Amino acid sequence: MGIATLLYGFYEYLQDEKRIKENKFEVKLTPMWIYTGLLTLLAVALVVSLYISAHP
């Protein structure tokens, strides 16, 4: 998950840099919140699955 976050952040950085150079930059938070929510759900699912497998 850390590598996926790093790659996504780098991609967004490159896109923002391109928009700044073109003077078309807008703040957009929706993709970040969706990505953060999905990573949180995956982390919770991992913890729950580990707990269930440790306590049958």
Side-chain angles (χ1 to χ4, degrees):
M1 282 195 271
I3 292 172
T5 303
L6 176 73
L7 291 174
Y8 178 73
F10 183 66
Y11 170 77
E12 286 296 317
Y13 170 79
L14 292 176
Q15 294 300 311
D16 288 344
E17 183 180 37
K18 179 181 169 186
R19 287 185 204 108
I20 288 170
K21 287 180 181 178
E22 295 173 352
N23 204 19
K24 297 179 182 178
F25 180 75
E26 294 179 15
V27 176
K28 56 176 188 161
L29 296 177
T30 304
M32 180 187 67
W33 286 109
I34 292 171
Y35 186 69
T36 302
L38 288 174
L39 283 178
T40 302
L41 286 174
L42 284 171
V44 169
L46 177 64
V47 169
V48 169
S49 68
L50 288 173
Y51 179 80
I52 290 171
S53 67
H55 298 92

